[in-house]
Amino acid sequence: MSTTTDGTASGLAVRAAAVIPGGVNSGQRQVPGLEQLVVAATSGASFTDASGHVFTDYHAAFGPPLLGHNDADVDAAVAAAGRSVDLMGVGVTAVEVELAEKLVQHVPSLEKVLLTSTGSEATFHALRVSRAATGRRHIIKFQGCYHGWHDSVAMNVISPADKVGHKDPLSQGMLPEVVDATIVCRFNDADQVEQALRDHDVAAIIIEPIPHNIGAVLPQPGFLERLRELATAYGTVLVFDEVITGFRHGLGGYQAVAGVTPDLTTLGKAMANGWPVSALGGRAELMDLFSTTPGRPAFFAGTFNGHPATSAAALATIEKLEREPVHEHVFRLGERARTELQAMYDRIGVPAVVAGFGSVFVSYFLEPPVVSYDDLLRNDVDLFVGYRRELMQDGIFELPLNLKRSHVSYAHTDDDIDRLLEATESAVTRHLATRA
Ligand SMILES: Cc1ncc(COP(=O)(O)O)c(C=O)c1O
């Protein structure tokens, strides 16, 4: 039992560690060097820690607040929903219908859509329905992609060199037969996928069209198209996991940018600007296999699915994305960050590849090319993490963890990017000086 009511930053961290295993509520939140971090407030492009330090936030909670933290329109919609109807657990509400209509309107692959709370639930159900539809066992995923915590996919994300090319489960306690049923392929290597499709009974290929869980490795021209052709030829379900790319890279997701239409799509994160709602949608023929239609074979349930408040958050987010030049703004600032950071590294003679798309940017410290996860094994991890720790001294927050991407929101300004460029040059230089 906790014996203190100390509300200071260090007091809260101690109290957290006493009653919350590891002191945080997600394994991704315990970052070396940040064990004492207690967040007191968020607003727009920044957050404030419990000691009163303000940081410009490029971590952005791994991506949701595309409009910026505490967006007034989204938060007002949530409050209004809370005053009108809360969770009923039977039937449907108007806001769920309006949200589903919006999703189907914008995302090319969506003929029908179901709501979940988290991205992991969405990818779980994508794979379940793929197996139900095909009667097949195997799944193909790619080294470097993350699709959530469940046994079929929780493997081979940021793997050490000696695990690349082998199974690299993220956890103990996963069923070996489930791990065995997942085949891990190299991103941008369609020949390897074709071989796997020939050798195994593959129900689904699941992919982040841009693997943002390792920063930003872009699909090479023709790669996603070839996956589409292969999936069709082999009768395998193609799943685009757009939990990060959906809404952040455009109202139609990255599939609209790439012009490649998967069979199923998962969405989450930026869809509701930070409120917990995700979605799985796709071809009606597949979506109609879920048990939301009585007698259909793929069981689907969730107490909080389609919660009116989070559905209202998603609807308000999407309406703002339709109404205001959000993508224009974040794409312009993202492009500034990428090109000007690259020019700065070139000028000061630090080998770097600044990658990204739209609002996302990441500085890898390596020589090109960056085509697949294996290339990222050359990243200078000490510099990658070290300059980000230095940046915190200047009130700028990029997550100090290897390969993690950074995000620009609608609340960031040109002044923020000016400050980012100046502070990054100084942070990289200071960190390199510690190695001299
Ligand atoms: C691409 C992708 N898919 C799925 C997930 C899982 O989503 P959640 O954490 O909401 O379960 C994540 C989470 O980071 C993700 O990045």
Side-chain angles (χ1 to χ4, degrees):
M1 199 180 80
S2 178
T3 54
T4 168
T5 52
D6 185 351
T8 64
S10 57
L12 279 164
V14 170
R15 285 167 59 195
V19 287
I20 302 171
V24 289
N25 273 304
S26 168
Q28 294 294 89
R29 294 185 193 164
Q30 191 51 276
V31 176
L34 300 184
E35 293 82 359
Q36 301 295 310
L37 179 63
V38 176
V39 178
T42 55
S43 177
S46 68
F47 74 90
T48 308
D49 73 14
S51 305
H53 303 114
V54 180
F55 297 89
T56 305
D57 184 17
Y58 292 97
H59 167 49
F62 293 101
L66 175 60
L67 302 172
H69 291 291
N70 308 75
D71 181 83
D73 295 325
V74 176
D75 292 356
V78 173
R83 282 193 300 271
S84 62
V85 51
D86 72 359
L87 196 61
M88 268 298 298
V90 65
V92 72
T93 56
V95 66
E96 291 167 79
V97 180
E98 286 168 37
L99 174 56
E101 286 171 348
K102 277 277 181 234
L103 296 170
V104 166
Q105 175 197 334
H106 284 300
V107 184
S109 63
L110 266 54
E111 293 172 358
K112 291 194 174 177
V113 64
L114 286 165
L115 298 175
T116 61
S117 297
T118 67
S120 297
E121 292 164 79
T123 59
F124 176 91
H125 289 295
L127 300 183
R128 171 177 280 176
V129 79
S130 298
R131 286 182 164 125
T134 61
R136 300 182 189 169
R137 176 164 181 261
H138 288 89
I139 298 298
I140 291 176
K141 82 173 281 288
F142 294 83
Q143 176 69 54
C145 291
Y146 177 71
H147 306 291
W149 39 252
H150 51 97
D151 290 9
S152 285
V153 289
M155 65 191 83
N156 295 82
V157 187
I158 300 185
S159 300
D162 62 339
K163 291 286 175 55
V164 176
H166 306 278
K167 288 287 165 61
D168 181 23
L170 292 176
S171 180
Q172 292 190 9
M174 290 164 64
L175 283 174
E177 50 271 47
V178 179
V179 176
D180 283 350
T182 298
I183 302 157
V184 181
C185 286
R186 198 169 164 268
F187 191 79
N188 274 329
D189 190 343
D191 290 343
Q192 205 184 37
V193 174
E194 181 160 21
Q195 189 62 50
L197 289 169
R198 261 197 230 115
D199 293 348
H200 302 279
D201 59 336
V202 180
I205 301 169
I206 186 165
I207 189 165
E208 286 183 74
I210 300 176
H212 279 310
N213 279 286
I214 48 170
V217 176
L218 297 182
Q220 293 199 309
F223 175 63
L224 296 176
E225 289 82 349
R226 180 99 187 275
L227 291 186
R228 177 64 278 176
E229 286 163 17
L230 287 170
T232 304
Y234 284 84
T236 296
V237 179
L238 181 62
V239 184
F240 276 8
D241 180 355
E242 297 228 42
V243 163
I244 296 174
T245 53
F247 299 99
R248 180 165 282 282
H249 291 346
L251 277 163
Y254 191 70
Q255 59 194 262
V257 177
V260 178
T261 307
D263 300 301
L264 293 174
T265 299
T266 52
L267 299 158
K269 294 198 195 282
M271 173 176 153
N273 207 53
W275 293 91
V277 58
S278 300
L280 165 63
R283 281 171 36 215
E285 185 195 338
L286 289 168
M287 295 301 296
D288 282 337
L289 293 176
F290 281 114
S291 63
T292 43
T293 303
R296 298 294 161 86
F299 183 76
F300 179 89
T303 302
F304 298 117
N305 290 357
H307 193 292
T310 58
S311 300
L315 197 55
T317 302
I318 295 168
E319 284 170 351
K320 191 153 181 174
L321 294 177
E322 291 172 336
R323 205 170 57 234
E324 297 195 21
V326 177
H327 288 111
E328 190 186 317
H329 179 84
V330 299
F331 271 53
R332 189 178 64 75
L333 292 191
E335 186 61 22
R336 265 203 70 199
R338 285 187 296 276
T339 47
E340 295 181 34
L341 282 169
Q342 186 69 65
M344 180 271 288
Y345 295 127
D346 293 347
R347 176 170 52 74
I348 66 173
V350 172
V353 172
V354 184
F357 183 87
S359 59
V360 172
F361 65 94
V362 60
S363 300
Y364 298 125
F365 296 106
L366 42 67
E367 299 282 357
V370 173
V371 177
S372 212
Y373 176 76
D374 353 338
D375 296 308
L376 303 182
L377 295 169
R378 304 194 310 272
N379 187 38
D380 182 337
V381 180
D382 173 70
L383 180 53
F384 189 98
V385 173
Y387 94 90
R388 289 171 176 223
R389 289 196 182 139
E390 290 286 342
L391 265 187
M392 289 185 71
Q393 310 302 318
D394 294 326
I396 293 178
F397 192 73
E398 292 190 66
L399 194 68
L401 212 51
N402 190 32
L403 302 184
K404 291 301 164 200
R405 68 196 176 276
S406 294
H407 312 80
V408 175
S409 78
Y410 195 39
H412 287 87
T413 62
D414 276 292
D415 283 352
D416 289 324
I417 302 297
D418 290 342
R419 234 164 43 82
L420 172 77
L421 293 162
E422 207 176 297
T424 304
E425 177 169 348
S426 166
V428 167
T429 309
R430 291 200 310 266
H431 184 74
L432 288 175
T434 66
R435 306 209 293 210

